[in-house]
Amino acid sequence: MNSLGFDKAPSATRVVVAMSGGVDSSVVAAMLAEQGYDVIGVTLQLYDQGEVAARKGACCAGQDIYDARTVADKVGIPHYVLDYESKFRDAVVEEFADSYARGETPIPCVMCNKTVKFRDLLATARELGADCLATGHYVQRAMGTEGAELLRGRDPGRDQSYFLFSTTRDQLDYLRFPLGHLDKAATRREAERLGLIVKDKPDSQDICFVPDGDYARIVTKLRPDTAQAGEIVDIDGTVLGRHDGIIHYTVGQRRGLGIAAAEPLYVVRLEPNRRRVVVGPKSALGRDLVHLREVNWLTDLKAGDSRRVSVKLRSAQMPTPATVIAGVDGAAVVQLDTPQPGIAPGQAGVFYDGDRLLGGGWIARTELQPELAA
C-alpha cells in the first residue's frame, strides 16, 4: 500500500489536489509530488476577477490563483483554474443570504465543502481519471469496521471536522487528507523545507466572500427584507426598543442591542416573519432538545435508533454529552445531558464517538424540556 492507501506505486496513482493558494493545500500538492504521485493541481475561481483585487483575506481570489500556479510550477505539476463563480454564487452565497432571511446563523464553509468542493470538484477529479481528491483540511481518514471513517485532526486547535459533517460515505471513500496528523506549525515548516513562496502566508478569513466582515452589506443587497426595521421585545412580548434589521442579530448575542436594562440581555430567538428580536436574561438561553434537519450519517443508524454521543453545536464549542435519536426523512433529535446556551438555528449539530465523526445535521429549532423550564 502506498501512503494514500492504494495498492500500487505512487507514480501510478493520480491525485487531484484542491489548491486554494494557501499554505495548507500548497504543502499537500508539493508533498505528494515529492513522493512521486501523479499530481494535478486544480484551483477554483469563485469571484469575478475584476472584483478580487481588494479582497485581502479572501481565498480563491486573484492573488491566490497566482500563488497556486506559482507553487504548481515550482513542484512541476500541471495546474488548472476552473470557473466556479456561478456554482459558488448559487450554492453558497445565495443560500447564505436565504439562511439569514430565515433568522438563522449560517455556516457557508460547510455549504462550500458540501457542494462546490466535494460534489462539483470531486466529479471533475473523477473525470480527470484521478484515484482520489486530496485537500488541505485538518482531519484524518482511517479505515474501520464500517469502511472509511472521518476522525478529528490530531491538533485540536486546527481540527476542521465540524465543517465536514455533510461529507458522504461515497465522498469519503474518494477523499484524502494528508495534513490531518500535523499541526499548523509543522505544515509551515514543511512549506519552508519545500521552498514554497506561501510559507508565511496568513490564513484566509472564515467567510471567504466577506473578507471585510461586513456580511450584512452582502445579505441586504441580496435580500433587502432582512434590513427592515422592527421591534426588540422581551420574552413576555413587551417592546423594549427598535432594531434596523434582523440581519444584525444572532441567538446568544449580548453586545450591540442598544437597550438599557437592569441586567444583561441576550438574543433568545429571532422571529423573521414578524421582524422581531426577542431578548431575555442569560437564564432564558438554555435548551436541551435540538431538532436537526438534513442529517448525514457516517455510521449505521436507522430511524428510531439512539446512540450516546458527544455533540458540537458551534465550531468553537467543546463537545457536550448527549443522546441522538435518528428520525425519518433526514431528521434527528439531540437530547443534551445539560441545557446549553445560545444554540442558534442554521448552525450544525455534529456527533462524535471519541475522535470519530459519526455525522451531523443543520439545527432547525430548539426546546427546553418542561420539567427543566419549570
Side-chain angles (χ1 to χ4, degrees), residues 11 34 54 62 70 76 81 118 140 160 167 185 190 212 218 222 233 249 280 284 300 305 336 342:
S11 59
E34 183 182 56
T70 302
V81 179
F118 292 172
Q140 300 183 84
Q160 293 174 299
T167 305
E190 276 295 289
D212 61 359
I218 291 179
L222 295 171
V233 304
Y249 302 88
D300 294 325
D305 290 349
L336 302 172

Side-chain angles (χ1 to χ4, degrees), residues 283-291 308 321-325 333-340 343 365-374:
S283 59
L285 287 174
R287 300 289 186 271
D288 67 337
L289 288 180
V290 183
H291 297 263
R308 288 291 296 171
T323 299
V324 60
I325 305 169
V333 176
V334 178
Q335 296 181 340
L336 302 172
D337 287 7
T338 305
Q340 299 295 312
I343 305 173
R365 60 187 179 90
T366 62
E367 296 180 62
L368 182 64
Q369 295 185 78
E371 62 270 22
L372 295 176

Side-chain angles (χ1 to χ4, degrees), residues 133-298:
L133 171 65
T135 78
H137 288 101
Y138 286 90
V139 293
Q140 300 183 84
R141 178 186 179 277
M143 297 305 296
T145 57
E146 297 180 275
E149 297 178 350
L150 190 60
L151 310 177
R152 301 178 202 263
R154 184 166 297 176
D155 177 6
R158 297 298 305 181
D159 170 49
Q160 293 174 299
S161 60
Y162 179 88
F163 299 100
L164 299 183
F165 78 84
S166 62
T167 305
T168 67
R169 285 177 161 180
D170 181 62
Q171 292 168 344
L172 190 55
D173 283 339
Y174 193 70
L175 291 165
R176 298 295 187 274
F177 308 104
L179 301 186
H181 65 293
L182 301 178
D183 59 26
K184 188 71 175 200
T187 298
R188 290 198 182 277
R189 288 194 296 271
E190 276 295 289
E192 184 171 13
R193 181 185 70 80
L194 293 161
L196 305 183
I197 63 168
V198 296
K199 65 181 186 298
D200 297 317
K201 188 173 181 177
D203 291 338
S204 61
Q205 300 285 336
D206 283 344
I207 303 180
C208 62
F209 57 93
V210 195
D212 61 359
D214 189 6
Y215 61 86
R217 174 180 56 82
I218 291 179
V219 175
T220 53
K221 180 179 179 180
L222 295 171
R223 304 291 183 271
D225 286 352
T226 61
Q228 291 183 357
E231 297 174 339
I232 300 177
V233 304
D234 66 16
I235 55 179
D236 295 320
T238 302
V239 177
L240 303 178
R242 302 279 297 176
H243 66 76
D244 294 326
I246 62 171
I247 181 61
H248 300 290
Y249 302 88
T250 185
V251 172
Q253 178 178 333
R254 175 185 173 187
R255 299 184 183 277
L257 301 184
I259 299 172
E263 61 179 328
L265 296 176
Y266 299 78
V267 176
V268 174
R269 68 178 181 274
L270 301 176
E271 298 178 350
N273 293 336
R274 304 174 71 179
R275 300 200 302 274
R276 295 208 313 183
V277 176
V278 181
V279 299
K282 189 173 184 178
S283 59
L285 287 174
R287 300 289 186 271
D288 67 337
L289 288 180
V290 183
H291 297 263
L292 304 178
R293 56 179 173 82
E294 299 177 45
V295 176
N296 175 64
W297 294 106
L298 289 176

